[in-house]
């Protein structure tokens, strides 16, 4: 099949059964930097979903029987096709999500890398018993029709991170991008038309009705969901929210550590499940660390992501903007101490400057909940047992980090933290080969890595009796 390498990034259609399909009604996203409407996109109906599911189930038979080697080659060809459209995707991503162009470049690069590296992960048949009586093997077979519900904070990376494992394991997939950021997802599926069989990769843009239609559809076999709430589907992989702690020990190099903590706290304007949400600093360096952090945050620039020198864009949508404003209101009402920031100035977009709250009570909302915005508490601690207990005192458990020059000690402490991933002297070291998921209320199952690939499969045991 020929690779389609030229997209138009101003017109948008659903992708159903290998065709670009329009709908009778339309909607549009909002550019969060200007609050102005963006391009029209389709508004899918329940009938459109039924058509897509039928196409996915029809194409599954042929696609699932394609060899793993051939599927891998087509997925790699798909990665090449996406990379050929780098400029268009990066500009579109900044328009719809708001992140600065350099961060859109970063997300785009990760997305292409994720596809290519996941294509190198094998899920081989395994012999688990070879005794005098029997030989038993376990094989991993495709489930059938996947649905990917993609959030608005990383609309390219989190889409490709679901598309690649679904296709590599022999499944078909229907992508539902967020109503807030529908554009890149539609173009990712449009690119797939020239590479895969019709019905293998499809995409539907819709409103708030589409998600419930998908999660309750009897023809969809598994949901992969990233967001903030459970979907209600029985067979799911859920990547939900986090309230990640970063624990800073007194032996850190403050000048080196502060810029990294600031980066991970305010990455994507705080709209990342893995952002640092609570900064715990040992009392012996608390004052110096806080002051250094404040001085660094002063160098950050919030604004329209298309402008030179901007480090942080707006909140992505009005709903999230209002939620984060609620945290600011509570900080003022409780008269909490503000180290920097704290004011939301009127603007043409959903802009909020990075804000640090100085040593608030542990039971305050800013400590207990995830704002998903550019506001973070810095807190003092005295003993290891105390800070580990405080770090674990949350219903969430996505990520955590421990910072110290003593790697052996920090690794030991990392094992005490209740999180899906704990990093030492880093907070965002991601790899498509590392399982990605949370514990507690931060998720069910994992994505990525060989474990994540197996989540897109049925497990079949073959037991052969020996004579």
């Amino acid at each position: 099949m020929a690779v389609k390498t030229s997209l138009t990034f101003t017109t948008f259609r659903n992708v159903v059964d290998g065709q670009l399909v329009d709908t009778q009604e339309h909607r549009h996203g909002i550019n969060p930097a200007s609050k102005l409407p963006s391009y029209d996109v389709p508004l899918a109906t329940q009938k459109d979903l039924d058509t897509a599911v039928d196409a996915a189930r029809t194409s599954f038979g042929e696609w699932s029987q394609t060899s793993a080697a051939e599927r891998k080659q087509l997925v790699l060809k798909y990665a090449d096709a996406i990379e050929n459209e780098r400029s268009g995707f990066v500009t579109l991503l900044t328009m719809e999500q708001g992140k600065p162009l350099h961060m859109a470049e970063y997300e785009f690069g990760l997305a292409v890398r994720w596809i290519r590296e996941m294509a190198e992960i094998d899920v081989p048949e395994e012999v688990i018993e070879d005794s005098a009586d029997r030989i038993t093997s376990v094989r991993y077979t495709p489930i059938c029709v996947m649905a990917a519900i993609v959030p608005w904070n990383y609309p390219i990376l989190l889409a490709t991170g679901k598309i690649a494992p679904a296709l590599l394991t022999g499944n078909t997939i229907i992508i539902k991008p967020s109503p807030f950021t529908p554009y890149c997802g539609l173009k990712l599926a449009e690119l797939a038309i020239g590479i895969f069989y019709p019905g293998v990769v499809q995409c539907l843009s819709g409103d708030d009705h589409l998600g419930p239609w998908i999660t309750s559809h009897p023809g969809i076999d598994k949901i992969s969901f990233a967001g903030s709430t459970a979907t209600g589907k029985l067979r799911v992989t859920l990547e939900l929210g986090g309230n990640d702690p970063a624990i800073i020990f007194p032996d850190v190099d403050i000048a080196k550590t502060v810029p990294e903590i600031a980066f991970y706290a305010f990455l994507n304007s705080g709209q990342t499940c893995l952002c640092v949400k609570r900064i715990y600093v040992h009392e012996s360096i608390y004052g110096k660390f806080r002051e250094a952090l404040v001085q660094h945050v002063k160098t950050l620039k919030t604004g329209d992501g298309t402008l030179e020198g901007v480090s942080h864009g707006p909140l992505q949508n009005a709903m999230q903007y209002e939620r984060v404003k609620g945290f600011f209101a509570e900080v003022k009402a409780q008269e909490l101490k503000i180290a920097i920031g704290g004011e939301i100035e009127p603007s043409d977009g959903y802009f909020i400057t990075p804000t640090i709250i100085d040593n608030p009570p542990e039971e305050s909302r800013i400590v207990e909940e995830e704002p998903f915005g550019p506001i973070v508490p810095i807190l003092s601690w005295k003993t290891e047992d105390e800070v580990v207990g405080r770090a674990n005192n949350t219903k969430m458990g996505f990520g955590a980090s421990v910072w110290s020059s003593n790697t052996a000690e920090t690794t030991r402490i990392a094992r005490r933290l209740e999180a899906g991933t704990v990093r030492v002297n880093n907070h965002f070291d991601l790899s498509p080969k590392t399982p990605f998921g949370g514990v507690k209320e931060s998720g069910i199952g994992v994505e990525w890595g060989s474990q994540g690939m197996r989540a897109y499969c049925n497990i079949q045991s073959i037991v052969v009796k020996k004579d």
Side-chain angles (χ1 to χ4, degrees):
M1 304 175 197
V3 178
K4 187 173 183 177
T5 59
S6 180
L7 291 179
T8 299
F9 287 90
T10 55
T11 58
F12 299 85
R13 300 289 183 269
N14 284 336
V15 176
V16 178
D17 200 15
Q19 302 293 322
L20 295 176
V21 179
D22 204 357
T23 54
Q24 184 174 355
E25 295 185 46
H26 299 84
R27 57 179 305 279
H28 57 76
I30 298 293
N31 184 328
S34 64
K35 301 181 186 177
L36 296 175
S38 299
Y39 304 108
D40 278 356
V41 291
L43 181 61
T45 65
Q46 195 157 12
K47 183 178 178 181
D48 295 326
L49 175 61
D50 291 340
T51 302
V53 171
D54 289 344
R57 300 196 76 83
T58 298
S59 65
F60 173 75
E62 184 175 8
W63 178 247
S64 63
Q65 295 305 308
T66 303
S67 70
E70 185 177 351
R71 293 198 299 264
K72 174 180 175 179
Q73 289 307 309
L74 290 174
V75 168
L76 290 173
K77 185 180 290 188
Y78 182 49
D80 292 342
I82 295 172
E83 189 169 47
N84 288 342
E85 300 290 349
R86 172 182 292 270
S87 177
F89 271 114
V90 167
T91 301
L92 187 67
L93 179 57
T94 292
M95 179 207 75
E96 70 170 334
Q97 203 282 330
K99 63 187 62 179
L101 287 169
H102 72 278
M103 292 307 299
E105 286 270 7
Y106 175 71
E107 178 181 342
F108 181 86
L110 286 182
V112 174
R113 176 189 159 203
W114 252 236
I115 298 174
R116 288 175 174 155
E117 292 196 22
M118 280 193 284
E120 302 301 323
I121 300 173
D122 294 323
V123 187
E125 186 170 321
E126 303 168 298
V127 175
I128 61 171
E129 180 183 2
D130 189 355
S131 65
D133 299 322
R134 71 185 66 84
I135 181 167
T136 304
S137 58
V138 172
R139 58 193 295 261
Y140 299 91
T141 63
I143 296 170
C144 193
V145 179
M146 306 284 106
I149 298 179
V150 181
W152 45 258
N153 56 341
Y154 290 91
I156 297 181
L157 175 60
L158 294 180
T160 58
K162 300 176 190 302
I163 295 169
L167 300 187
L168 290 164
T169 51
N171 299 287
T172 57
I173 189 166
I174 299 170
I175 307 155
K176 189 205 84 69
S178 167
F180 294 116
T181 54
Y183 301 99
C184 287
L186 288 168
K187 289 302 171 182
L188 286 172
E190 184 176 336
L191 265 184
I193 292 174
I195 299 171
F196 304 104
Y197 306 129
V200 171
V201 179
Q202 302 178 92
C203 184
L204 295 176
S205 164
D207 57 14
D208 291 340
H209 293 97
L210 183 55
W213 291 340
I214 287 174
T215 59
S216 61
H217 200 291
I220 294 175
D221 300 285
K222 178 178 173 173
I223 306 290
S224 177
F225 173 86
S228 59
T229 57
T231 64
K233 190 78 175 178
L234 291 178
R235 189 161 187 170
V236 293
T237 298
L238 301 179
E239 182 256 289
L240 305 174
N243 194 13
D244 293 18
I247 300 175
I248 315 296
F249 275 75
D251 60 350
V252 298
D253 182 332
I254 293 177
K256 179 181 177 182
T257 306
V258 159
E260 294 189 67
I261 292 295
F263 180 82
Y264 297 127
F266 299 116
L267 177 65
N268 203 29
S269 295
Q271 300 167 113
T272 305
C273 57
L274 280 179
C275 270
V276 172
K277 308 296 193 326
R278 295 173 289 158
I279 306 170
Y280 289 101
V281 181
H282 190 266
E283 62 179 7
S284 64
I285 61 167
Y286 182 84
K288 291 182 179 179
F289 195 97
R290 180 196 57 210
E291 182 58 27
L293 188 62
V294 166
Q295 293 305 314
H296 182 81
V297 169
K298 288 180 179 179
T299 69
L300 306 180
K301 182 179 179 180
T302 300
D304 187 325
T306 63
L307 300 179
E308 186 175 351
V310 169
S311 59
H312 293 76
L315 278 292
Q316 200 285 318
N317 57 74
M319 179 181 68
Q320 189 60 28
Y321 180 69
E322 292 300 323
R323 171 177 164 75
V324 175
K325 282 172 63 177
F327 281 87
F328 279 74
E330 287 199 22
V331 164
K332 286 190 174 182
Q334 296 171 10
E335 299 183 339
L336 301 182
K337 188 176 180 181
I338 299 169
I340 188 171
E343 297 294 332
I344 301 176
E345 302 294 338
S347 69
D348 293 332
Y350 302 122
F351 295 107
I352 297 179
T353 55
T355 293
I356 299 172
I357 308 304
D358 186 2
N359 221 12
E362 199 75 14
E363 66 276 8
S364 58
R365 186 185 177 202
I366 190 61
V367 178
E368 291 187 335
E369 294 186 26
E370 176 188 36
F372 218 65
I375 177 172
V376 63
I378 182 171
L379 306 115
S380 174
W381 64 273
K382 182 179 294 186
T383 70
E384 177 188 320
D385 286 345
E386 167 217 329
V387 74
V388 168
R390 291 164 68 188
N392 287 337
N393 186 27
T394 172
K395 294 179 180 179
M396 298 179 180
F398 208 92
S401 59
V402 186
W403 301 72
S404 169
S405 60
N406 188 332
T407 304
E409 271 297 284
T410 49
T411 302
R412 178 186 63 79
I413 294 164
R415 297 178 186 277
R416 298 185 63 189
L417 297 176
E418 299 166 358
T421 304
V422 184
R423 295 173 175 85
V424 172
N425 295 327
N426 191 282
H427 198 89
F428 207 79
D429 185 7
L430 297 178
S431 167
K433 297 178 182 178
T434 302
F436 182 75
V439 300
K440 301 181 182 178
E441 293 184 8
S442 286
I444 298 173
V446 297
E447 304 261 32
W448 311 344
S450 60
Q451 296 88 346
M453 294 280 277
R454 291 186 181 97
Y456 286 81
C457 300
N458 289 315
I459 299 176
Q460 183 182 55
S461 299
I462 304 292
V463 183
V464 179
K465 184 178 180 181
K466 293 183 178 179
D467 294 332

